[in-house]
Amino acid sequence: MEILRTVAELRAWSRRERKDGGNTIGLVPTMGALHAGHASLIRAAKNSVGFVAVSIFVNPTQFGPNEDFARYPRSFEADCALAQAEGADVVFAPSVDELYPAGAATFVEVSGLSERLDGKSRPGHFRGVATVVSKLLIAVEPDKAFFGQKDAAQVAVLRRMVSDLRLAAEIVVCPIVREADGLALSSRNVYLSAEERAQALTLSRAVRQAEALFASGERRASRFIEAARETFAAVPEIRVDYIALVDWATLEPVEIAAPGSLFAVAAWAGATRLIDNAILG
Ligand code: AMP
């Protein structure tokens, strides 16, 4: 497995493998601190394309001024070992200056969608995500790019971006990987104290409840939201950011749930913001 540091090297690698290997290329963008959720993306990529690049880049533009950019977990050696074990061909780990040259003034904004759900709570977040992912997609020109349903709103923003920019990559969405007790894996789970970790289970509980309601035939959005509010109210230490039932493509609220609707929650356990969701049906 090669470790590349510059966009030029990454582009050259992708072009070479495509041409000489006559092969397909997959891209798995990450911020590192890799866990079994990331591993599942790399595995899915390896099973469906010839060559896989994993990017590891803590992207400053997707963090707000008071967020955790500086203390975001970083574990480069272990990340490379995991990527290699899952069959990655390349790890792309650029410096901030490499992706954002001095004076960089170009950003990608998916308007509307970027102000909903996490974008509403974290202004500028999706602009940063869209900008960095478009830089990666333009450099690699992958046949497929792999993302987790864990960040379902991000998937909606990136699908729209790829469609609007007429990029060639197919966006592949992989299921949420969870701990045995239901907690969705996240690089930020390391921030949680034992008490906060227990509180954090409220998110997956609310998500499972929504899935059960849908399975029982309930379709009124108000009922899904009320049920989740009650579930969160039973654990007063956790602070709800949002509980939403939306159209997955537009992130606009729906009144009546349908197969494919996105039920999503975000909440604070102590100083850590966590998200979880289900695609209903
Ligand atoms: P991150 O490093 O947190 O930016 O995540 C990189 C990619 O891994 C994103 O596409 C995430 O949606 C995905 N991911 C993160 N956590 C999980 C999880 N628990 N299950 C599946 N995919 C995940």
Side-chain angles (χ1 to χ4, degrees), residues 190-247:
V190 298
Y191 297 152
L192 301 171
S193 68
E195 293 76 23
E196 290 163 354
R197 168 100 185 37
Q199 296 158 19
L201 289 175
T202 319
L203 284 92
S204 52
R205 206 175 296 138
V207 162
R208 276 202 309 271
Q209 182 180 44
E211 287 173 321
L213 275 175
F214 191 84
S216 76
E218 182 58 71
R219 293 294 179 267
R220 293 163 295 177
S222 58
R223 288 301 305 137
F224 287 85
I225 310 268
E226 272 166 40
R229 286 217 178 283
E230 281 165 24
T231 297
F232 275 101
V235 187
E237 296 85 4
I238 195 154
R239 266 191 306 125
V240 174
D241 176 359
Y242 66 70
I243 299 169
L245 184 59
V246 300
D247 179 301

Side-chain angles (χ1 to χ4, degrees), residues 2-279:
E2 284 180 83
I3 296 173
L4 306 180
R5 299 285 182 180
T6 70
V7 171
E9 288 170 334
L10 180 65
R11 176 172 286 127
W13 169 80
S14 171
R15 287 184 176 170
R16 191 173 62 240
E17 296 301 12
R18 193 189 315 279
K19 186 157 152 282
D20 297 347
N23 232 318
T24 49
I25 309 282
L27 172 68
V28 182
T30 83
M31 296 208 299
L34 301 185
H35 51 61
H38 300 108
S40 75
L41 266 55
I42 302 171
R43 217 172 305 132
K46 199 60 197 176
N47 286 334
S48 92
V49 297
F51 289 88
V52 175
V54 176
S55 63
I56 296 179
F57 180 66
V58 184
N59 174 36
T61 63
Q62 71 187 72
F63 288 80
N66 298 317
E67 293 184 357
D68 56 344
F69 173 69
R71 66 185 190 109
Y72 194 83
R74 288 163 170 87
S75 54
F76 187 65
E77 304 285 301
D79 291 353
C80 287
L82 181 147
Q84 182 157 28
E86 295 298 345
D89 298 283
V90 152
V91 160
F92 176 56
S95 65
V96 171
D97 288 348
E98 177 65 18
L99 278 197
Y100 296 99
T106 305
F107 291 86
V108 176
E109 183 124 19
V110 182
S111 46
L113 279 175
S114 290
E115 284 88 60
R116 294 174 199 140
L117 299 188
D118 309 285
K120 187 170 182 187
S121 318
R122 305 179 67 189
H125 171 66
F126 284 133
R127 180 185 197 243
V129 170
T131 299
V132 77
V133 172
S134 60
K135 285 173 193 256
L136 294 168
L137 290 175
I138 290 166
V140 177
E141 294 192 83
D143 299 277
K144 299 183 182 185
F146 296 80
F147 296 91
Q149 184 202 311
K150 163 87 191 323
D151 296 87
Q154 166 172 288
V155 166
V157 169
L158 294 177
R159 277 180 171 152
R160 177 63 64 81
M161 179 188 87
V162 162
S163 165
D164 288 354
L165 294 180
R166 297 287 190 241
L167 298 176
E170 177 192 338
I171 301 262
V172 180
V173 183
C174 301
I176 303 175
V177 176
R178 299 177 179 281
E179 304 276 11
D181 61 5
L183 182 69
L185 293 191
S186 163
S187 303
R188 290 189 167 98
N189 289 351
V190 298
Y191 297 152
L192 301 171
S193 68
E195 293 76 23
E196 290 163 354
R197 168 100 185 37
Q199 296 158 19
L201 289 175
T202 319
L203 284 92
S204 52
R205 206 175 296 138
V207 162
R208 276 202 309 271
Q209 182 180 44
E211 287 173 321
L213 275 175
F214 191 84
S216 76
E218 182 58 71
R219 293 294 179 267
R220 293 163 295 177
S222 58
R223 288 301 305 137
F224 287 85
I225 310 268
E226 272 166 40
R229 286 217 178 283
E230 281 165 24
T231 297
F232 275 101
V235 187
E237 296 85 4
I238 195 154
R239 266 191 306 125
V240 174
D241 176 359
Y242 66 70
I243 299 169
L245 184 59
V246 300
D247 179 301
W248 194 11
T250 65
L251 303 182
E252 297 269 30
V254 295
E255 278 181 24
I256 301 297
S261 296
L262 168 64
F263 175 82
V265 296
W268 293 87
T272 305
R273 185 175 176 280
L274 300 169
I275 57 175
D276 203 343
N277 70 80
I279 307 301

